[in-house]
Amino acid sequence: MKATKGKKATKQITEQDSAKLKELFVDGLKDIYWAEKNLAKALTKMSKNATSEELKAAFEQHNTETEEHAARLEQIFEQIGEKAQAKKCAAMEGLIEEANEIIESTDKGTMVRDCGLIMAAQKVEHYEIASYGTLRNIARTLGHNEVADLLQQTLDQEGETDHKLTELAEAYVNEEASVE
Ligand code: FE
Ligand code: FE
């Protein structure tokens, strides 16, 4: 049923639609490019402020990946013949602001701060997962299959990061439970 639906939608895309869809696609790439670039700075701050070594390491690792994501986007811009340009992403700006608020409102060296940072980071990952999933679908619709594969690579890393953060959060719960 789902497959039929998808097919139908693809068939309905006219040449004119395709040009507009490409525009939407490029705009989406610019938005996530801004997000990745700004996220790299935010993750450095989050790592510095995290309490546990595991969370610090997770943020640092994802910081490296985030730089890869920005570089991958530059490669994508080149492949589709567009200039790599960042366009301010209001959603990511807000999510980064939330992370900063958590640092301000929690005490240094506490697990409460780590739980807050994990919450903020997972919101970021979910935003990225939604963005990359849609962009990958549009790339396929436009026939940019290599670009779709590149977007999938980033999408996989965002998903892995999200799972890792869930595992860290669960480990905290278990630790807390064993103390009591
Ligand atoms: Fe990313
Ligand atoms: Fe990410």
Side-chain angles (χ1 to χ4, degrees):
M1 186 98 185
K2 260 182 188 169
T4 322
K5 256 188 177 171
K7 246 186 194 169
K8 220 176 175 182
T10 312
K11 269 188 193 160
Q12 282 166 352
I13 286 192
T14 63
E15 222 167 279
Q16 200 186 8
D17 283 340
S18 172
K20 281 184 188 160
L21 192 60
K22 167 104 190 264
E23 229 173 86
L24 188 78
F25 181 61
V26 174
D27 260 6
L29 290 173
K30 288 177 180 173
D31 177 279
I32 200 73
Y33 186 47
W34 188 96
E36 296 285 16
K37 287 182 115 174
N38 284 272
L39 202 53
K41 291 176 222 157
L43 281 165
T44 304
K45 186 172 174 186
M46 286 162 85
S47 173
K48 268 187 199 155
N49 285 280
T51 304
S52 81
E53 287 309 316
E54 290 95 331
L55 188 58
K56 276 180 190 287
F59 284 151
E60 265 162 43
Q61 191 199 325
H62 199 53
N63 195 357
T64 308
E65 287 172 349
T66 297
E67 281 164 11
E68 275 174 39
H69 298 171
R72 202 171 277 143
L73 285 167
E74 284 163 14
Q75 195 186 337
I76 289 169
F77 278 117
E78 208 186 302
Q79 282 198 16
I80 59 167
E82 296 283 337
K83 213 172 122 196
Q85 218 172 23
K87 195 172 127 191
K88 190 172 180 177
C89 170
M92 186 57 75
E93 191 182 40
L95 291 170
I96 291 171
E97 180 54 35
E98 266 193 37
N100 285 329
E101 278 168 17
I102 280 169
I103 293 169
E104 280 160 30
S105 67
T106 54
D107 293 323
K108 196 182 164 188
T110 63
M111 287 318 225
V112 174
R113 173 172 286 180
D114 274 16
C115 286
L117 285 175
I118 288 174
M119 180 162 67
Q122 284 195 294
K123 286 183 188 180
V124 166
E125 294 315 309
H126 284 226
Y127 177 79
E128 288 184 300
I129 289 166
S131 304
Y132 280 110
T134 306
L135 288 169
R136 177 211 51 202
N137 290 343
I138 298 178
R140 290 231 174 96
T141 304
L142 291 170
H144 293 305
N145 290 321
E146 275 178 41
V147 168
D149 291 345
L150 287 169
L151 291 167
Q152 183 67 52
Q153 283 175 32
T154 297
L155 183 57
D156 289 343
Q157 284 180 317
E158 310 293 17
E160 280 161 24
T161 302
D162 182 44
H163 287 139
K164 194 181 205 173
L165 290 167
T166 299
E167 276 169 18
L168 284 174
E170 281 169 359
Y172 291 165
V173 171
N174 291 338
E175 256 171 51
E176 197 97 325
S178 68
V179 167
E180 283 176 86

